[in-house]
Amino acid sequence: MSLTPEQVLAAHKANVETLFGLTTKAFEGLEKLVELNVTASRAALQEAASHTQAVLSVKDAQELLALQAGLFQPLAEKTAAYSRHLYDIASGTGAEFGKAVEGKTAEVQKTVATLVDSAAKNAPAGSETAVAAIKSAVTAANNAFESVQKAVKQATDVAEANFNAVAASAVNAAKTTTSAAKKR
């Protein structure tokens, strides 16, 4: 069985639509990243100005040490929050790309299965072994793809759990450091 010109044109049209959809998602992710960085930079600048004013108004070294100690915990929390936002943007954009790939893969698998079935029906007598081999190869390829998808999902889940653990550890370490510095 061969594809008709209409089927080829429809496939190309669908591919172009997918490409433009993915490009739009990429730009949306980039816009979110730029917005996050502008917001973080603005906040950092305001905090630097505020901290500078506070440093200039200290009366003794002990007050300066207390001021510096009080800076660690909020800084760690803000860094963790920034990292979380950055991770959310990246994983959200990646998820959109993943969905598109999965959708296209499902379409291709369905098309290949249809073509194989059609070829099997129209195959000459005595070609049953070849048809069975092709069907087996298609099934093996589909199974391999599903295994890769599961492995990627598991790796993503582990990476997210590790990220959350590191962020929590950093905030807790900053709290401990701040508490110890304030006791001095």
mmCIF file of all heavy atoms in Angstrom, residues 103-155:
data_model
loop_
_atom_site.group_PDB
_atom_site.id
_atom_site.type_symbol
_atom_site.label_atom_id
_atom_site.label_comp_id
_atom_site.label_asym_id
_atom_site.label_seq_id
_atom_site.Cartn_x
_atom_site.Cartn_y
_atom_site.Cartn_z
ATOM 1 N N GLY A 103 2.576 12.266 21.424
ATOM 2 C CA GLY A 103 1.436 12.309 20.499
ATOM 3 C C GLY A 103 1.838 11.921 19.092
ATOM 4 O O GLY A 103 1.155 11.123 18.424
ATOM 5 N N LYS A 104 2.938 12.486 18.632
ATOM 6 C CA LYS A 104 3.419 12.163 17.276
ATOM 7 C C LYS A 104 3.849 10.708 17.190
ATOM 8 O O LYS A 104 3.620 10.036 16.188
ATOM 9 C CB LYS A 104 4.580 13.083 16.872
ATOM 10 C CG LYS A 104 4.130 14.440 16.423
ATOM 11 C CD LYS A 104 3.299 14.300 15.176
ATOM 12 C CE LYS A 104 2.761 15.612 14.716
ATOM 13 N NZ LYS A 104 1.840 15.457 13.590
ATOM 14 N N THR A 105 4.477 10.204 18.240
ATOM 15 C CA THR A 105 4.913 8.813 18.246
ATOM 16 C C THR A 105 3.707 7.883 18.165
ATOM 17 O O THR A 105 3.731 6.889 17.429
ATOM 18 C CB THR A 105 5.740 8.506 19.508
ATOM 19 O OG1 THR A 105 6.872 9.383 19.520
ATOM 20 C CG2 THR A 105 6.216 7.074 19.529
ATOM 21 N N ALA A 106 2.658 8.212 18.909
ATOM 22 C CA ALA A 106 1.442 7.388 18.868
ATOM 23 C C ALA A 106 0.836 7.394 17.463
ATOM 24 O O ALA A 106 0.400 6.351 16.962
ATOM 25 C CB ALA A 106 0.433 7.897 19.890
ATOM 26 N N GLU A 107 0.843 8.564 16.827
ATOM 27 C CA GLU A 107 0.327 8.656 15.446
ATOM 28 C C GLU A 107 1.151 7.783 14.505
ATOM 29 O O GLU A 107 0.609 7.058 13.674
ATOM 30 C CB GLU A 107 0.372 10.103 14.951
ATOM 31 C CG GLU A 107 -0.711 10.997 15.474
ATOM 32 C CD GLU A 107 -0.566 12.411 14.941
ATOM 33 O OE1 GLU A 107 -0.148 12.582 13.769
ATOM 34 O OE2 GLU A 107 -0.880 13.345 15.690
ATOM 35 N N VAL A 108 2.468 7.885 14.621
ATOM 36 C CA VAL A 108 3.355 7.113 13.748
ATOM 37 C C VAL A 108 3.169 5.620 13.999
ATOM 38 O O VAL A 108 3.097 4.824 13.045
ATOM 39 C CB VAL A 108 4.834 7.533 13.959
ATOM 40 C CG1 VAL A 108 5.785 6.558 13.288
ATOM 41 C CG2 VAL A 108 5.057 8.939 13.425
ATOM 42 N N GLN A 109 3.061 5.225 15.265
ATOM 43 C CA GLN A 109 2.851 3.812 15.577
ATOM 44 C C GLN A 109 1.549 3.304 14.965
ATOM 45 O O GLN A 109 1.497 2.205 14.413
ATOM 46 C CB GLN A 109 2.841 3.597 17.100
ATOM 47 C CG GLN A 109 4.202 3.729 17.734
ATOM 48 C CD GLN A 109 4.160 3.684 19.250
ATOM 49 O OE1 GLN A 109 3.123 3.943 19.871
ATOM 50 N NE2 GLN A 109 5.288 3.366 19.861
ATOM 51 N N LYS A 110 0.514 4.115 15.055
ATOM 52 C CA LYS A 110 -0.784 3.720 14.486
ATOM 53 C C LYS A 110 -0.688 3.606 12.968
ATOM 54 O O LYS A 110 -1.197 2.658 12.368
ATOM 55 C CB LYS A 110 -1.846 4.749 14.889
ATOM 56 C CG LYS A 110 -3.243 4.403 14.450
ATOM 57 C CD LYS A 110 -4.243 5.436 14.930
ATOM 58 C CE LYS A 110 -5.620 5.123 14.393
ATOM 59 N NZ LYS A 110 -6.609 6.134 14.798
ATOM 60 N N THR A 111 -0.025 4.572 12.337
ATOM 61 C CA THR A 111 0.129 4.552 10.880
ATOM 62 C C THR A 111 0.933 3.343 10.433
ATOM 63 O O THR A 111 0.561 2.659 9.463
ATOM 64 C CB THR A 111 0.814 5.850 10.393
ATOM 65 O OG1 THR A 111 0.019 6.967 10.801
ATOM 66 C CG2 THR A 111 0.973 5.869 8.891
ATOM 67 N N VAL A 112 2.018 3.068 11.134
ATOM 68 C CA VAL A 112 2.840 1.906 10.783
ATOM 69 C C VAL A 112 2.043 0.621 10.959
ATOM 70 O O VAL A 112 2.089 -0.271 10.100
ATOM 71 C CB VAL A 112 4.145 1.884 11.628
ATOM 72 C CG1 VAL A 112 4.864 0.553 11.482
ATOM 73 C CG2 VAL A 112 5.062 3.018 11.200
ATOM 74 N N ALA A 113 1.289 0.522 12.048
ATOM 75 C CA ALA A 113 0.480 -0.677 12.271
ATOM 76 C C ALA A 113 -0.554 -0.840 11.161
ATOM 77 O O ALA A 113 -0.769 -1.960 10.660
ATOM 78 C CB ALA A 113 -0.206 -0.600 13.629
ATOM 79 N N THR A 114 -1.155 0.245 10.726
ATOM 80 C CA THR A 114 -2.135 0.202 9.642
ATOM 81 C C THR A 114 -1.472 -0.233 8.344
ATOM 82 O O THR A 114 -2.014 -1.073 7.601
ATOM 83 C CB THR A 114 -2.805 1.582 9.467
ATOM 84 O OG1 THR A 114 -3.432 1.942 10.695
ATOM 85 C CG2 THR A 114 -3.832 1.571 8.356
ATOM 86 N N LEU A 115 -0.298 0.330 8.070
ATOM 87 C CA LEU A 115 0.415 -0.044 6.837
ATOM 88 C C LEU A 115 0.825 -1.522 6.852
ATOM 89 O O LEU A 115 0.697 -2.220 5.840
ATOM 90 C CB LEU A 115 1.654 0.836 6.648
ATOM 91 C CG LEU A 115 1.399 2.275 6.216
ATOM 92 C CD1 LEU A 115 2.692 3.085 6.251
ATOM 93 C CD2 LEU A 115 0.789 2.329 4.830
ATOM 94 N N VAL A 116 1.287 -1.989 8.013
ATOM 95 C CA VAL A 116 1.701 -3.395 8.121
ATOM 96 C C VAL A 116 0.487 -4.311 7.935
ATOM 97 O O VAL A 116 0.563 -5.314 7.221
ATOM 98 C CB VAL A 116 2.418 -3.666 9.465
ATOM 99 C CG1 VAL A 116 2.592 -5.160 9.712
ATOM 100 C CG2 VAL A 116 3.767 -2.963 9.482
ATOM 101 N N ASP A 117 -0.623 -3.964 8.568
ATOM 102 C CA ASP A 117 -1.833 -4.775 8.417
ATOM 103 C C ASP A 117 -2.310 -4.794 6.972
ATOM 104 O O ASP A 117 -2.693 -5.837 6.444
ATOM 105 C CB ASP A 117 -2.945 -4.262 9.332
ATOM 106 C CG ASP A 117 -2.694 -4.591 10.795
ATOM 107 O OD1 ASP A 117 -1.867 -5.482 11.072
ATOM 108 O OD2 ASP A 117 -3.327 -3.942 11.655
ATOM 109 N N SER A 118 -2.255 -3.629 6.343
ATOM 110 C CA SER A 118 -2.677 -3.539 4.938
ATOM 111 C C SER A 118 -1.754 -4.362 4.046
ATOM 112 O O SER A 118 -2.209 -5.075 3.148
ATOM 113 C CB SER A 118 -2.687 -2.086 4.486
ATOM 114 O OG SER A 118 -3.021 -1.995 3.120
ATOM 115 N N ALA A 119 -0.464 -4.263 4.299
ATOM 116 C CA ALA A 119 0.502 -5.033 3.509
ATOM 117 C C ALA A 119 0.305 -6.527 3.739
ATOM 118 O O ALA A 119 0.416 -7.336 2.803
ATOM 119 C CB ALA A 119 1.929 -4.624 3.875
ATOM 120 N N ALA A 120 -0.019 -6.908 4.981
ATOM 121 C CA ALA A 120 -0.234 -8.323 5.287
ATOM 122 C C ALA A 120 -1.448 -8.870 4.541
ATOM 123 O O ALA A 120 -1.427 -10.012 4.046
ATOM 124 C CB ALA A 120 -0.416 -8.507 6.784
ATOM 125 N N LYS A 121 -2.473 -8.072 4.436
ATOM 126 C CA LYS A 121 -3.688 -8.509 3.727
ATOM 127 C C LYS A 121 -3.434 -8.669 2.232
ATOM 128 O O LYS A 121 -4.032 -9.518 1.594
ATOM 129 C CB LYS A 121 -4.820 -7.502 3.943
ATOM 130 C CG LYS A 121 -5.370 -7.512 5.350
ATOM 131 C CD LYS A 121 -6.422 -6.442 5.528
ATOM 132 C CE LYS A 121 -6.850 -6.344 6.985
ATOM 133 N NZ LYS A 121 -7.764 -5.231 7.212
ATOM 134 N N ASN A 122 -2.560 -7.822 1.715
ATOM 135 C CA ASN A 122 -2.294 -7.842 0.272
ATOM 136 C C ASN A 122 -1.038 -8.628 -0.089
ATOM 137 O O ASN A 122 -0.623 -8.632 -1.248
ATOM 138 C CB ASN A 122 -2.164 -6.404 -0.252
ATOM 139 C CG ASN A 122 -3.445 -5.620 -0.078
ATOM 140 O OD1 ASN A 122 -4.528 -6.164 -0.267
ATOM 141 N ND2 ASN A 122 -3.329 -4.367 0.299
ATOM 142 N N ALA A 123 -0.423 -9.251 0.903
ATOM 143 C CA ALA A 123 0.819 -9.985 0.658
ATOM 144 C C ALA A 123 0.527 -11.260 -0.128
ATOM 145 O O ALA A 123 -0.526 -11.884 0.041
ATOM 146 C CB ALA A 123 1.481 -10.342 1.975
ATOM 147 N N PRO A 124 1.453 -11.619 -0.985
ATOM 148 C CA PRO A 124 1.263 -12.856 -1.751
ATOM 149 C C PRO A 124 1.359 -14.085 -0.843
ATOM 150 O O PRO A 124 1.925 -14.023 0.248
ATOM 151 C CB PRO A 124 2.418 -12.826 -2.763
ATOM 152 C CG PRO A 124 3.422 -11.909 -2.191
ATOM 153 C CD PRO A 124 2.692 -10.934 -1.323
ATOM 154 N N ALA A 125 0.795 -15.142 -1.300
ATOM 155 C CA ALA A 125 0.828 -16.390 -0.536
ATOM 156 C C ALA A 125 2.273 -16.803 -0.291
ATOM 157 O O ALA A 125 3.153 -16.602 -1.134
ATOM 158 C CB ALA A 125 0.090 -17.492 -1.299
ATOM 159 N N GLY A 126 2.544 -17.350 0.892
ATOM 160 C CA GLY A 126 3.888 -17.800 1.227
ATOM 161 C C GLY A 126 4.730 -16.749 1.922
ATOM 162 O O GLY A 126 5.879 -17.007 2.283
ATOM 163 N N SER A 127 4.197 -15.542 2.103
ATOM 164 C CA SER A 127 4.984 -14.482 2.752
ATOM 165 C C SER A 127 4.586 -14.288 4.209
ATOM 166 O O SER A 127 4.938 -13.283 4.811
ATOM 167 C CB SER A 127 4.830 -13.170 1.976
ATOM 168 O OG SER A 127 3.477 -12.765 1.968
ATOM 169 N N GLU A 128 3.900 -15.254 4.777
ATOM 170 C CA GLU A 128 3.428 -15.135 6.155
ATOM 171 C C GLU A 128 4.587 -14.960 7.135
ATOM 172 O O GLU A 128 4.488 -14.206 8.118
ATOM 173 C CB GLU A 128 2.601 -16.372 6.559
ATOM 174 C CG GLU A 128 1.277 -16.511 5.844
ATOM 175 C CD GLU A 128 1.398 -17.136 4.455
ATOM 176 O OE1 GLU A 128 2.461 -17.716 4.125
ATOM 177 O OE2 GLU A 128 0.435 -17.022 3.684
ATOM 178 N N THR A 129 5.686 -15.646 6.893
ATOM 179 C CA THR A 129 6.842 -15.552 7.784
ATOM 180 C C THR A 129 7.419 -14.139 7.773
ATOM 181 O O THR A 129 7.748 -13.577 8.829
ATOM 182 C CB THR A 129 7.927 -16.562 7.367
ATOM 183 O OG1 THR A 129 7.344 -17.858 7.332
ATOM 184 C CG2 THR A 129 9.091 -16.540 8.330
ATOM 185 N N ALA A 130 7.528 -13.550 6.596
ATOM 186 C CA ALA A 130 8.054 -12.186 6.485
ATOM 187 C C ALA A 130 7.121 -11.192 7.161
ATOM 188 O O ALA A 130 7.573 -10.279 7.873
ATOM 189 C CB ALA A 130 8.257 -11.818 5.020
ATOM 190 N N VAL A 131 5.832 -11.356 6.970
ATOM 191 C CA VAL A 131 4.854 -10.462 7.593
ATOM 192 C C VAL A 131 4.924 -10.593 9.114
ATOM 193 O O VAL A 131 4.904 -9.596 9.845
ATOM 194 C CB VAL A 131 3.424 -10.752 7.071
ATOM 195 C CG1 VAL A 131 2.383 -10.004 7.883
ATOM 196 C CG2 VAL A 131 3.320 -10.384 5.597
ATOM 197 N N ALA A 132 5.030 -11.825 9.610
ATOM 198 C CA ALA A 132 5.135 -12.052 11.051
ATOM 199 C C ALA A 132 6.404 -11.402 11.607
ATOM 200 O O ALA A 132 6.396 -10.821 12.699
ATOM 201 C CB ALA A 132 5.129 -13.545 11.353
ATOM 202 N N ALA A 133 7.500 -11.476 10.858
ATOM 203 C CA ALA A 133 8.755 -10.864 11.292
ATOM 204 C C ALA A 133 8.622 -9.341 11.362
ATOM 205 O O ALA A 133 9.113 -8.699 12.306
ATOM 206 C CB ALA A 133 9.892 -11.260 10.361
ATOM 207 N N ILE A 134 7.942 -8.762 10.380
ATOM 208 C CA ILE A 134 7.748 -7.306 10.377
ATOM 209 C C ILE A 134 6.876 -6.894 11.548
ATOM 210 O O ILE A 134 7.183 -5.930 12.263
ATOM 211 C CB ILE A 134 7.134 -6.842 9.032
ATOM 212 C CG1 ILE A 134 8.163 -7.012 7.909
ATOM 213 C CG2 ILE A 134 6.662 -5.398 9.119
ATOM 214 C CD1 ILE A 134 7.605 -6.780 6.516
ATOM 215 N N LYS A 135 5.788 -7.628 11.784
ATOM 216 C CA LYS A 135 4.915 -7.310 12.912
ATOM 217 C C LYS A 135 5.675 -7.435 14.233
ATOM 218 O O LYS A 135 5.518 -6.612 15.141
ATOM 219 C CB LYS A 135 3.692 -8.230 12.924
ATOM 220 C CG LYS A 135 2.653 -7.868 11.888
ATOM 221 C CD LYS A 135 1.415 -8.748 12.035
ATOM 222 C CE LYS A 135 0.344 -8.319 11.058
ATOM 223 N NZ LYS A 135 -0.905 -9.099 11.239
ATOM 224 N N SER A 136 6.508 -8.446 14.338
ATOM 225 C CA SER A 136 7.303 -8.650 15.545
ATOM 226 C C SER A 136 8.283 -7.491 15.744
ATOM 227 O O SER A 136 8.470 -7.006 16.867
ATOM 228 C CB SER A 136 8.061 -9.972 15.448
ATOM 229 O OG SER A 136 8.887 -10.144 16.568
ATOM 230 N N ALA A 137 8.895 -7.039 14.662
ATOM 231 C CA ALA A 137 9.837 -5.914 14.753
ATOM 232 C C ALA A 137 9.122 -4.627 15.170
ATOM 233 O O ALA A 137 9.641 -3.863 16.008
ATOM 234 C CB ALA A 137 10.546 -5.711 13.415
ATOM 235 N N VAL A 138 7.938 -4.400 14.636
ATOM 236 C CA VAL A 138 7.164 -3.209 14.998
ATOM 237 C C VAL A 138 6.773 -3.275 16.475
ATOM 238 O O VAL A 138 6.903 -2.287 17.217
ATOM 239 C CB VAL A 138 5.915 -3.063 14.092
ATOM 240 C CG1 VAL A 138 4.973 -1.995 14.630
ATOM 241 C CG2 VAL A 138 6.342 -2.720 12.667
ATOM 242 N N THR A 139 6.331 -4.424 16.928
ATOM 243 C CA THR A 139 5.965 -4.598 18.333
ATOM 244 C C THR A 139 7.175 -4.386 19.240
ATOM 245 O O THR A 139 7.078 -3.714 20.276
ATOM 246 C CB THR A 139 5.357 -5.998 18.568
ATOM 247 O OG1 THR A 139 4.206 -6.142 17.735
ATOM 248 C CG2 THR A 139 4.973 -6.213 20.008
ATOM 249 N N ALA A 140 8.307 -4.928 18.860
ATOM 250 C CA ALA A 140 9.528 -4.754 19.655
ATOM 251 C C ALA A 140 9.935 -3.285 19.721
ATOM 252 O O ALA A 140 10.335 -2.785 20.781
ATOM 253 C CB ALA A 140 10.659 -5.592 19.070
ATOM 254 N N ALA A 141 9.826 -2.574 18.604
ATOM 255 C CA ALA A 141 10.170 -1.146 18.590
ATOM 256 C C ALA A 141 9.225 -0.355 19.493
ATOM 257 O O ALA A 141 9.662 0.527 20.245
ATOM 258 C CB ALA A 141 10.120 -0.605 17.165
ATOM 259 N N ASN A 142 7.931 -0.681 19.441
ATOM 260 C CA ASN A 142 6.963 0.008 20.304
ATOM 261 C C ASN A 142 7.254 -0.270 21.779
ATOM 262 O O ASN A 142 7.202 0.637 22.611
ATOM 263 C CB ASN A 142 5.538 -0.428 19.960
ATOM 264 C CG ASN A 142 5.076 0.109 18.621
ATOM 265 O OD1 ASN A 142 5.659 1.038 18.076
ATOM 266 N ND2 ASN A 142 4.026 -0.486 18.083
ATOM 267 N N ASN A 143 7.575 -1.512 22.103
ATOM 268 C CA ASN A 143 7.897 -1.871 23.488
ATOM 269 C C ASN A 143 9.163 -1.163 23.962
ATOM 270 O O ASN A 143 9.240 -0.709 25.102
ATOM 271 C CB ASN A 143 8.038 -3.386 23.636
ATOM 272 C CG ASN A 143 6.718 -4.107 23.496
ATOM 273 O OD1 ASN A 143 5.648 -3.516 23.639
ATOM 274 N ND2 ASN A 143 6.777 -5.394 23.189
ATOM 275 N N ALA A 144 10.149 -1.077 23.088
ATOM 276 C CA ALA A 144 11.395 -0.398 23.447
ATOM 277 C C ALA A 144 11.133 1.087 23.716
ATOM 278 O O ALA A 144 11.653 1.655 24.689
ATOM 279 C CB ALA A 144 12.425 -0.557 22.337
ATOM 280 N N PHE A 145 10.321 1.709 22.885
ATOM 281 C CA PHE A 145 10.000 3.121 23.075
ATOM 282 C C PHE A 145 9.273 3.330 24.401
ATOM 283 O O PHE A 145 9.579 4.261 25.148
ATOM 284 C CB PHE A 145 9.151 3.650 21.916
ATOM 285 C CG PHE A 145 8.809 5.099 22.063
ATOM 286 C CD1 PHE A 145 9.767 6.075 21.845
ATOM 287 C CD2 PHE A 145 7.536 5.492 22.450
ATOM 288 C CE1 PHE A 145 9.460 7.415 22.010
ATOM 289 C CE2 PHE A 145 7.227 6.825 22.610
ATOM 290 C CZ PHE A 145 8.182 7.796 22.388
ATOM 291 N N GLU A 146 8.329 2.468 24.729
ATOM 292 C CA GLU A 146 7.600 2.580 25.993
ATOM 293 C C GLU A 146 8.547 2.401 27.184
ATOM 294 O O GLU A 146 8.413 3.090 28.196
ATOM 295 C CB GLU A 146 6.463 1.560 26.041
ATOM 296 C CG GLU A 146 5.312 1.912 25.112
ATOM 297 C CD GLU A 146 4.248 0.821 25.030
ATOM 298 O OE1 GLU A 146 4.251 -0.102 25.875
ATOM 299 O OE2 GLU A 146 3.413 0.900 24.121
ATOM 300 N N SER A 147 9.512 1.497 27.062
ATOM 301 C CA SER A 147 10.494 1.295 28.138
ATOM 302 C C SER A 147 11.343 2.544 28.345
ATOM 303 O O SER A 147 11.625 2.937 29.482
ATOM 304 C CB SER A 147 11.401 0.109 27.818
ATOM 305 O OG SER A 147 10.670 -1.086 27.811
ATOM 306 N N VAL A 148 11.745 3.164 27.249
ATOM 307 C CA VAL A 148 12.537 4.397 27.341
ATOM 308 C C VAL A 148 11.706 5.498 27.991
ATOM 309 O O VAL A 148 12.200 6.235 28.857
ATOM 310 C CB VAL A 148 13.048 4.828 25.947
ATOM 311 C CG1 VAL A 148 13.616 6.228 25.979
ATOM 312 C CG2 VAL A 148 14.096 3.840 25.451
ATOM 313 N N GLN A 149 10.433 5.611 27.615
ATOM 314 C CA GLN A 149 9.571 6.626 28.217
ATOM 315 C C GLN A 149 9.457 6.414 29.728
ATOM 316 O O GLN A 149 9.525 7.369 30.505
ATOM 317 C CB GLN A 149 8.167 6.578 27.605
ATOM 318 C CG GLN A 149 8.057 7.247 26.258
ATOM 319 C CD GLN A 149 6.627 7.212 25.744
ATOM 320 O OE1 GLN A 149 5.980 6.172 25.747
ATOM 321 N NE2 GLN A 149 6.141 8.353 25.309
ATOM 322 N N LYS A 150 9.293 5.175 30.154
ATOM 323 C CA LYS A 150 9.183 4.878 31.586
ATOM 324 C C LYS A 150 10.488 5.212 32.310
ATOM 325 O O LYS A 150 10.471 5.765 33.407
ATOM 326 C CB LYS A 150 8.823 3.408 31.800
ATOM 327 C CG LYS A 150 7.387 3.085 31.435
ATOM 328 C CD LYS A 150 7.089 1.608 31.587
ATOM 329 C CE LYS A 150 5.685 1.285 31.103
ATOM 330 N NZ LYS A 150 5.390 -0.153 31.156
ATOM 331 N N ALA A 151 11.615 4.890 31.698
ATOM 332 C CA ALA A 151 12.910 5.182 32.318
ATOM 333 C C ALA A 151 13.124 6.688 32.451
ATOM 334 O O ALA A 151 13.622 7.160 33.481
ATOM 335 C CB ALA A 151 14.040 4.551 31.501
ATOM 336 N N VAL A 152 12.751 7.440 31.438
ATOM 337 C CA VAL A 152 12.886 8.900 31.498
ATOM 338 C C VAL A 152 11.986 9.462 32.590
ATOM 339 O O VAL A 152 12.400 10.342 33.358
ATOM 340 C CB VAL A 152 12.560 9.536 30.121
ATOM 341 C CG1 VAL A 152 12.400 11.039 30.226
ATOM 342 C CG2 VAL A 152 13.658 9.199 29.120
ATOM 343 N N LYS A 153 10.788 8.961 32.703
ATOM 344 C CA LYS A 153 9.855 9.417 33.745
ATOM 345 C C LYS A 153 10.435 9.132 35.129
ATOM 346 O O LYS A 153 10.402 9.991 36.020
ATOM 347 C CB LYS A 153 8.501 8.719 33.559
ATOM 348 C CG LYS A 153 7.503 8.957 34.666
ATOM 349 C CD LYS A 153 6.883 10.324 34.595
ATOM 350 C CE LYS A 153 5.733 10.442 35.572
ATOM 351 N NZ LYS A 153 5.963 11.394 36.626
ATOM 352 N N GLN A 154 10.976 7.932 35.322
ATOM 353 C CA GLN A 154 11.569 7.585 36.615
ATOM 354 C C GLN A 154 12.770 8.478 36.925
ATOM 355 O O GLN A 154 12.927 8.955 38.055
ATOM 356 C CB GLN A 154 11.993 6.113 36.631
ATOM 357 C CG GLN A 154 10.827 5.156 36.683
ATOM 358 C CD GLN A 154 11.259 3.701 36.545
ATOM 359 O OE1 GLN A 154 12.382 3.407 36.123
ATOM 360 N NE2 GLN A 154 10.369 2.779 36.891
ATOM 361 N N ALA A 155 13.609 8.727 35.932
ATOM 362 C CA ALA A 155 14.778 9.589 36.141
ATOM 363 C C ALA A 155 14.343 11.015 36.477
ATOM 364 O O ALA A 155 14.949 11.668 37.344
ATOM 365 C CB ALA A 155 15.665 9.581 34.897
#
